Amino acid sequence: MNISKSEITKETSLKPSRRSLPCLAQSYAYSKSLSQSTSLFQSTESESQAPTSVTLISADKAEQVNAEEDNKDSVLKCSFADLSDFCLALGKDKDYMDESEHANYDRSRLIKDSVPKDNSESKAKLSKNDMNYIASSGLLFKDGKKRIDYILVYRKSNIQYDKRNTFEKNLRAEGLMLEKEPAVANPDIMFIKIHIPWDTLCKYAERLNIRMPFRKKCYYTDRSSKSMGSVQNYFRRIKKWMSQNPMVLDKSAFPHLEESDCYTGPFSRARIHHFIINNKDTFFSNATRSRIVYHMLQHTKYENGISKVGICKLINNGSYIAAFPPHEGAYKSSQPIKTHGPQNNRHLLYERWARWGMWYKHQPLDLIRLYFGEKIGLYFAWLGWYTGMLIPAALVGLCVFFYGIFTMNASQVSQEICKATEVFMCPLCDKNCSLQRLNESCIYAKVTYLFDNGGTVFFAIFMAIWATVFLEFWKRRRSTLTYTWDLIEWEEEEETLRPQFEAKYYKMERVNPISGKPEPHQPSSDKVTRLLVSISGIFFMISLVITAVFAVVVYRLVVMEQFASFKWNFIKQHWQFATSAAAVCINFVIIMALNLAYEKIAYLLTNLEYPRTESEWENSFALKMFLFQFVNLNSSIFYIAFFLGRFVGHPGNYNKLFNRWRLEECHPSGCLIDLCLQMGVIMFLKQIWNNFMELGYPLIQNWWSRHKIKRGVQDASIPQWENDWNLQPMNIHGLMDEYLEMVLQFGFTTIFVAAFPLAPLLALLNNIIEIRLDAYKFVTQWRRPLPARATDIGIWYGILEGIGILAVITNAFVIAITSDYIPRFVYEYKYGPCASRFEYGENCLKGYVNNSLSFFDLSELGVGKSGYCRYRDYRGPPWSSKPYEFTLQYWHILAARLAFIIVFEHLVFGIKSFIAYLIPDVPKNLYDRIRREKYLVQEMMYEAELEHLQQQRRKSGHPVHHEWP
């Protein structure tokens, strides 16, 4: 089928029908691009392997075409009045109105948006500059025409020549073009540059159902907006102020991303005339081209046999040592970006996003998505949203902390402890500990009050509600991003089987109920068996973690006797603090050591399951890593919060581990200070370690690689792909480490927040650094990762919801059991001075410390001491009828604790459920717009196909119908 541009332009316009009248103006405005795309697909391509027929346009005909197009544009502008009036008549009875279609149209706005005069010139200029930079940066083949879409690297000394040769031969048979070039710095390294031609791009884009733009979205101005109400005017002023906010990015510095302004549909070679193709070199983005090439690399054989397929296996067996898409050039320039503009998208990302000086700016999410793909774009969108939501949590936590500071000296409990000079506490260990005055714990009591005061319960409830609001509003934010990035229907269209799954179960096929095509199938018995083995491995590793925590507990029991008799006076006086600090540091070392083993075991268990798709593999691996590291990181914290000092017995009858080591007791001021110390040290050290491993380690490795190159090569021009090869590769688990770090931090921020209200503030400060650190790492220190697509953050959202539920339960137990909130509450209203009568100005906690301490007769120890010492418990005194038995107050406190846990959990869960019900996952206007655009896309596809059929009928001499034949 040969269709010339002049023949298409001579066609008269169609009679407007009811199907696509709301956007028919855009159909006329883009008739040029439609005709260009038709002839473009049929033009001769020097790099294509199969020539196609083409109708060339002479210079005379081109002048005639331009004149006719100018005349046609003027006719179209004159006909917009009739068209808009007709649209207005159709829309009078409609209640629904959105940005795509309003009841009243502003015709001047319509003409301005529909037929931009200088848009094509600016795009052509931008494309020309991009291609010139690509050529100057060495991102093309040696002929200077074919761009490099992917890079393979291997060593010449490697003996896997036959596999590489077969693999490369099959790649050429699939339609790829390959060019080899040795490395400049290392003669043993060979690079294979891969280019995907236009025909191959179109074939695989259609096979993968990649959605491409085919019609510009039309926006109309509603006249009613001119008479906005007071509330709308208020929000408009806020929006105007936001545009002047220093945190907002300057949009003029970023390229216009036209994909977000276009309707898209699955690409089809048979309907290529529907799509907007201004330039075949830029129609498919770099991310799309790389993704298609990677798909081909993953499904190409290198040996005979069903399992001998994929670049991943070739890298694992050493045939190749790397495979990656190239960066778009250098990220730095000698010329300032403000005066000369960005050299490429990587340079723009560095200047406007990855530099540390941009820490207060919003993130350019659209550009991140364009360069790194939707999956990485969604990660940074989630990280930015999480960081922004931490601001109110950090402010409230800071207020609770400062409330403790300002009321610390007025605390009745702290005052009584600091004034208790004649109260002696029983020895906390058997051999080297002596009696201790209660007032020696004055500092610990004041520090404990900072985290255990009247605002603790309020803050725990606030954080539970905050977690729900954060997750619910993230779902709304995600739905907006998936709509903007055209990911609404992506998962159902593009999810493919893993090559490993296909190779394992190719003999067992089953018809896919969705596609109706046969595909490999894993039998249920085999799946259950593999899952049982995997679950057994998970429980084994969790038991190993518990064993490590038990070893740390034994260490604490052993060394506390040694620290109590230490020769340094400071250690001897604060031996409990020294024991806890040393145990925390040792526990942190064990955590980091076990994490290395967990990653390898989780990788083996996940591969053993043979997940069906890549998303299933990632979700399974992420769940295992989270379970391992969550238990590894929090097991010691759970021990301190709920077990430390709970089962020690009482003086004269202490419980001992293995009948040898006396169990550890809490400090006289309580166990909360130990919990705060454990959380603060682990959170601080882990963040420092993670930041070093994410940035410091790659910086050192890249510096060493550049040092070797400079030492081995003198005045050599290193091409871009070799510079990329010298960078560090993104880890094989993708974003799993990034998400895992943030999700574990989210657990720290919410699960034990009642004991450590400064956790949200520390998380906020860390995340401000984390965003720019990750940005700098992705742009400058890592090879360009594969621009993968995703519609959400995967299994991490479910994990976050689980953490939110666990946080409610944990905080209820921390307040009820670990803190002294419930004992103070019971004393205040049952046993204190306000129990029988209440007088204004009277302190209801007066005498609480003395009431919370029990008596013990020192003469019962048989060490020659007499008198009484005190210990933390509610037991009868030695002179009572039932000495050392639990008192009635103990049972009252226990009942109050259980009642508080039940009431707190039901109250918070009820509030969380109500808030989740009130906040819809998708905004109403977005939901209506999605449904509307689906309808318009279908109707415009019908109109475009009708126009194409009419052109064919006119060319063949058949009669033309204005509706479907």
Side-chain angles (χ1 to χ4, degrees):
M1 179 178 62
N2 298 329
I3 302 175
S4 66
K5 185 175 181 180
S6 59
E7 290 174 342
I8 295 177
T9 310
K10 290 178 183 179
E11 299 293 341
T12 59
S13 59
L14 293 173
K15 179 181 177 180
S17 67
R18 297 177 64 91
R19 282 183 172 169
S20 60
L21 274 172
C23 290
L24 190 56
Q26 295 296 344
S27 176
Y28 287 130
Y30 282 85
S31 60
K32 298 180 184 179
S33 62
L34 184 147
S35 58
Q36 289 175 357
S37 64
T38 305
S39 59
L40 181 67
F41 180 68
Q42 297 169 344
S43 62
T44 303
E45 183 181 9
S46 59
E47 67 201 22
S48 178
Q49 302 207 356
T52 58
S53 60
V54 64
T55 302
L56 299 177
I57 303 175
S58 62
D60 296 337
K61 285 187 177 183
E63 294 177 0
Q64 182 182 0
V65 167
N66 294 334
E68 291 175 356
E69 288 180 345
D70 293 338
N71 294 334
K72 183 177 179 180
D73 289 342
S74 63
V75 172
L76 287 176
K77 291 179 182 179
C78 295
S79 65
F80 276 134
D82 298 334
L83 178 62
S84 59
D85 289 339
F86 189 60
C87 290
L88 178 60
L90 290 177
K92 285 182 179 179
D93 298 332
K94 293 182 179 180
D95 296 329
Y96 167 75
M97 293 186 299
D98 62 1
E99 295 181 2
S100 299
E101 184 180 10
H102 292 286
N104 300 320
Y105 299 125
D106 188 342
R107 296 175 185 174
S108 61
R109 171 74 178 273
L110 179 64
I111 296 174
K112 181 179 179 180
D113 290 348
S114 300
V115 191
K117 293 183 178 180
D118 58 343
N119 192 27
S120 59
E121 295 179 1
S122 61
K123 288 180 181 179
K125 183 177 179 181
L126 181 62
S127 299
K128 184 177 179 181
N129 292 338
D130 291 343
M131 294 305 296
N132 289 338
Y133 180 79
I134 289 174
S136 62
S137 301
L139 297 176
L140 300 175
F141 275 28
K142 293 180 181 179
D143 60 3
K145 297 180 180 179
K146 303 179 185 67
R147 70 163 60 189
I148 301 174
D149 296 311
Y150 225 86
I151 296 293
L152 301 181
V153 188
Y154 69 90
R155 297 185 184 276
K156 297 179 183 178
S157 57
N158 187 273
I159 60 175
Q160 304 283 352
Y161 172 78
D162 293 335
K163 294 180 180 180
R164 288 197 304 269
N165 187 34
T166 303
F167 184 70
E168 294 164 13
K169 184 178 179 180
N170 291 336
L171 289 178
R172 292 188 178 94
E174 287 293 327
L176 295 179
M177 293 185 175
L178 280 62
E179 184 178 75
K180 294 184 179 182
E181 185 167 336
V184 176
N186 188 349
D188 188 42
I189 299 296
M190 180 66 73
F191 296 98
I192 300 179
K193 298 174 286 185
I194 299 178
H195 168 74
I196 180 168
W198 172 255
D199 285 349
T200 308
L201 265 175
C202 295
K203 179 177 68 174
Y204 276 90
E206 180 178 8
R207 183 178 300 178
L208 297 176
N209 286 326
I210 293 179
R211 302 180 68 88
M212 301 302 296
F214 69 87
R215 190 66 56 84
K216 194 77 171 179
K217 291 181 181 179
C218 51
Y219 299 93
Y220 299 93
T221 302
D222 188 3
R223 291 178 182 174
S224 63
S225 63
K226 298 178 182 178
S227 58
M228 299 173 67
S230 58
V231 177
Q232 291 175 318
N233 287 327
Y234 175 74
F235 282 107
R236 185 174 62 179
R237 288 194 297 269
I238 293 179
K239 187 175 181 180
K240 184 178 179 181
W241 174 82
M242 287 295 293
S243 62
Q244 302 173 355
N245 188 351
M247 298 176 65
V248 177
L249 290 166
D250 183 11
K251 294 183 179 180
S252 62
F254 294 90
H256 176 63
L257 304 177
E258 61 182 39
E259 295 85 355
S260 60
D261 295 332
C262 295
Y263 297 112
T264 62
F267 183 80
S268 172
R269 288 177 291 176
R271 296 183 177 181
I272 194 171
H273 48 275
H274 294 174
F275 298 91
I276 303 173
I277 307 179
N278 296 315
N279 187 341
K280 69 175 183 178
D281 292 327
T282 58
F283 177 63
F284 293 101
S285 65
N286 290 341
T288 303
R289 298 171 68 99
S290 300
R291 194 159 54 244
I292 293 176
V293 173
Y294 180 76
H295 174 82
M296 299 175 67
L297 293 175
Q298 278 289 78
H299 292 81
T300 302
K301 291 184 178 182
Y302 58 88
E303 277 186 356
N304 293 329
I306 190 66
S307 62
K308 308 297 184 180
V309 60
I311 185 63
C312 292
K313 289 191 175 182
L314 286 173
I315 293 177
N316 291 335
N317 62 33
S319 299
Y320 294 94
I321 53 179
F324 55 89
H327 277 294
E328 294 184 4
Y331 65 88
K332 284 187 178 181
S333 175
S334 58
Q335 299 173 341
I337 191 174
K338 292 184 178 180
T339 57
H340 293 78
Q343 291 185 349
N344 51 73
N345 286 335
R346 187 188 186 195
H347 180 214
L348 182 60
L349 282 172
Y350 175 76
E351 293 290 339
R352 294 289 184 260
W353 179 50
R355 288 195 304 112
W356 295 104
M358 308 298 291
W359 66 270
Y360 62 95
K361 291 285 189 180
H362 293 170
Q363 299 185 87
L365 295 178
D366 289 334
L367 187 59
I368 297 172
R369 170 245 180 174
L370 178 67
Y371 193 82
F372 291 109
E374 288 80 2
K375 193 171 186 178
I376 295 177
L378 274 175
Y379 163 72
F380 282 104
W382 176 84
L383 181 57
W385 185 260
Y386 171 45
T387 303
M389 290 293 292
L390 279 173
I391 295 177
L395 291 177
V396 175
L398 202 61
C399 291
V400 172
F401 183 76
F402 278 114
Y403 170 80
I405 291 179
F406 294 142
T407 61
M408 180 172 54
N409 293 327
S411 171
Q412 179 66 26
V413 177
S414 299
Q415 290 180 2
E416 291 184 2
I417 291 178
C418 294
K419 294 178 181 179
T421 57
E422 300 300 326
V423 178
F424 292 90
M425 301 299 294
C426 297
L428 296 178
C429 58
D430 291 335
K431 297 181 180 179
N432 302 317
C433 297
S434 59
L435 298 177
Q436 181 182 0
R437 296 180 186 270
L438 182 59
N439 67 330
E440 294 179 6
S441 303
C442 179
I443 297 178
Y444 292 98
K446 291 183 177 181
V447 174
T448 301
Y449 180 78
L450 296 178
F451 304 101
D452 185 12
N453 52 63
T456 302
V457 177
F458 163 75
F459 188 56
I461 297 175
F462 172 82
M463 287 302 297
I465 298 174
W466 172 87
T468 301
V469 172
F470 160 65
L471 294 176
E472 292 299 321
F473 275 97
W474 163 247
K475 287 193 288 187
R476 294 169 63 88
R477 174 63 172 161
R478 184 200 68 84
S479 63
T480 303
L481 287 175
T482 54
Y483 166 77
T484 305
W485 294 349
D486 194 35
L487 297 171
I488 298 297
E489 299 177 355
W490 171 80
E491 185 174 0
E492 295 181 358
E493 296 173 351
E494 297 192 26
E495 190 73 11
T496 58
L497 300 179
R498 297 180 70 236
Q500 294 85 348
F501 181 86
E502 291 181 307
K504 177 68 175 178
Y505 299 104
Y506 72 96
K507 294 183 180 179
M508 293 163 282
E509 290 188 347
R510 187 182 67 173
V511 176
N512 190 311
I514 305 300
S515 63
K517 299 178 181 179
E519 66 177 18
H521 170 67
Q522 184 180 16
S524 300
S525 58
D526 181 78
K527 186 174 184 178
V528 170
T529 303
R530 294 180 180 276
L531 283 177
L532 290 176
V533 174
S534 180
I535 293 173
S536 301
I538 293 174
F539 279 107
F540 172 76
M541 294 306 300
I542 291 177
S543 63
L544 185 62
V545 173
I546 297 175
T547 303
V549 173
F550 181 76
V552 174
V553 171
V554 174
Y555 165 81
R556 294 171 67 109
L557 301 180
V558 172
V559 300
M560 67 179 185
E561 295 277 359
Q562 306 300 325
F563 282 137
S565 60
F566 210 74
K567 61 180 180 180
W568 292 352
N569 191 34
F570 177 81
I571 300 294
K572 187 176 182 179
Q573 291 181 353
H574 306 280
W575 61 270
Q576 281 187 303
F577 176 81
T579 301
S580 299
V584 169
C585 295
I586 293 176
N587 188 41
F588 177 77
V589 173
I590 294 176
I591 288 173
M592 293 295 103
L594 290 178
N595 282 344
L596 299 177
Y598 295 157
E599 183 175 348
K600 296 181 179 179
I601 294 175
Y603 188 80
L604 292 175
L605 293 177
T606 306
N607 286 334
L608 180 66
E609 296 175 8
Y610 280 98
R612 180 174 173 273
T613 61
E614 286 295 334
S615 61
E616 291 181 5
W617 189 96
E618 292 177 359
N619 291 340
S620 178
F621 181 75
L623 180 60
K624 293 179 180 60
M625 285 299 298
F626 169 75
L627 289 176
F628 290 159
Q629 295 209 17
F630 181 81
V631 175
N632 189 26
L633 199 63
N634 294 281
S635 55
S636 60
I637 299 177
F638 273 91
Y639 164 75
I640 293 176
F642 304 124
F643 297 98
L644 179 64
R646 307 296 169 193
F647 311 101
V648 294
H650 61 85
N653 188 22
Y654 282 113
N655 298 323
K656 294 187 177 182
L657 183 65
F658 303 132
N659 294 324
R660 181 175 181 182
W661 295 297
R662 172 180 162 183
L663 295 181
E664 187 178 3
E665 291 186 62
C666 295
H667 198 271
S669 59
C671 297
L672 203 63
I673 188 66
D674 295 301
L675 182 59
C676 295
L677 178 65
Q678 185 84 6
M679 289 187 61
V681 171
I682 290 182
M683 189 174 184
F684 179 74
L685 291 179
K686 193 172 189 305
Q687 288 178 350
I688 291 180
W689 175 259
N690 289 337
N691 291 338
F692 170 76
M693 293 302 296
E694 288 183 7
L695 183 62
Y697 185 66
L699 276 173
I700 295 174
Q701 288 185 313
N702 292 335
W703 172 83
W704 179 247
S705 299
R706 290 192 299 269
H707 176 72
K708 291 192 297 184
I709 291 175
K710 292 180 181 179
R711 184 177 57 185
V713 180
Q714 298 294 333
D715 298 328
S717 178
I718 306 297
Q720 180 62 45
W721 58 82
E722 191 163 348
N723 287 328
D724 292 347
W725 157 248
N726 292 320
L727 298 177
Q728 295 303 307
M730 186 177 181
N731 59 70
I732 59 176
H733 310 312
L735 293 170
M736 195 277 302
D737 291 339
E738 318 298 329
Y739 276 118
L740 181 61
E741 177 186 356
M742 291 295 103
V743 169
L744 292 175
Q745 183 202 86
F746 180 79
F748 264 95
T749 306
T750 55
I751 292 180
F752 292 100
V753 73
F756 193 54
L758 292 181
L761 178 62
L762 294 180
L764 174 63
L765 297 177
N766 175 79
N767 287 5
I768 292 174
I769 300 174
E770 181 75 18
I771 290 176
R772 304 303 159 179
L773 187 147
D774 285 346
Y776 185 83
K777 176 179 61 180
F778 272 93
V779 174
T780 67
Q781 301 302 312
W782 276 2
R783 298 172 193 162
R784 187 177 184 178
L786 177 70
R789 308 197 79 185
T791 57
D792 52 28
I793 61 176
I795 199 175
W796 299 109
Y797 182 83
I799 293 175
L800 290 172
E801 283 189 325
I803 290 177
I805 295 173
L806 181 62
V808 176
I809 301 173
T810 306
N811 282 303
F813 276 88
V814 168
I815 296 173
I817 296 177
T818 309
S819 73
D820 289 337
Y821 176 80
I822 298 300
R824 291 197 302 264
F825 182 84
V826 172
Y827 176 82
E828 186 174 0
Y829 293 100
K830 181 65 177 176
Y831 297 94
C834 299
S836 57
R837 57 183 175 82
F838 176 77
E839 295 183 3
Y840 181 77
E842 186 175 1
N843 195 329
C844 297
L845 287 176
K846 185 177 181 181
Y848 167 75
V849 174
N850 183 64
N851 177 265
S852 64
L853 299 177
S854 300
F855 288 89
F856 177 73
D857 188 359
L858 290 174
S859 61
E860 296 183 15
L861 294 177
V863 292
K865 293 183 180 180
S866 61
Y868 296 100
C869 66
R870 311 293 295 273
Y871 62 97
R872 284 174 53 91
D873 211 340
Y874 293 93
R875 295 177 181 269
W879 56 83
S880 65
S881 59
K882 295 182 179 180
Y884 308 125
E885 295 290 333
F886 288 120
T887 63
L888 183 61
Q889 185 177 357
Y890 169 83
W891 299 109
H892 285 167
I893 292 175
L894 180 61
R897 283 172 169 169
L898 296 177
F900 174 83
I901 292 172
I902 295 174
V903 172
F904 182 88
E905 289 181 356
H906 283 72
L907 175 65
V908 176
F909 280 134
I911 296 175
K912 285 168 64 70
S913 302
F914 182 68
I915 292 176
Y917 173 77
L918 289 180
I919 303 176
D921 295 346
V922 181
K924 180 63 168 59
N925 60 342
L926 178 61
Y927 177 74
D928 292 337
R929 180 177 297 181
I930 291 173
R931 295 181 61 192
R932 177 64 175 166
E933 290 193 0
K934 285 183 178 180
Y935 170 78
L936 290 177
V937 165
Q938 183 180 11
E939 298 305 310
M940 285 186 290
M941 292 289 285
Y942 289 156
E943 291 295 339
E945 187 66 23
L946 177 59
E947 182 179 359
H948 183 62
L949 290 176
Q950 289 178 356
Q951 292 171 0
Q952 288 184 324
R953 286 178 176 274
R954 287 190 179 92
K955 183 180 178 181
S956 59
H958 291 85
V960 177
H961 301 279
H962 293 293
E963 294 295 339
W964 286 99

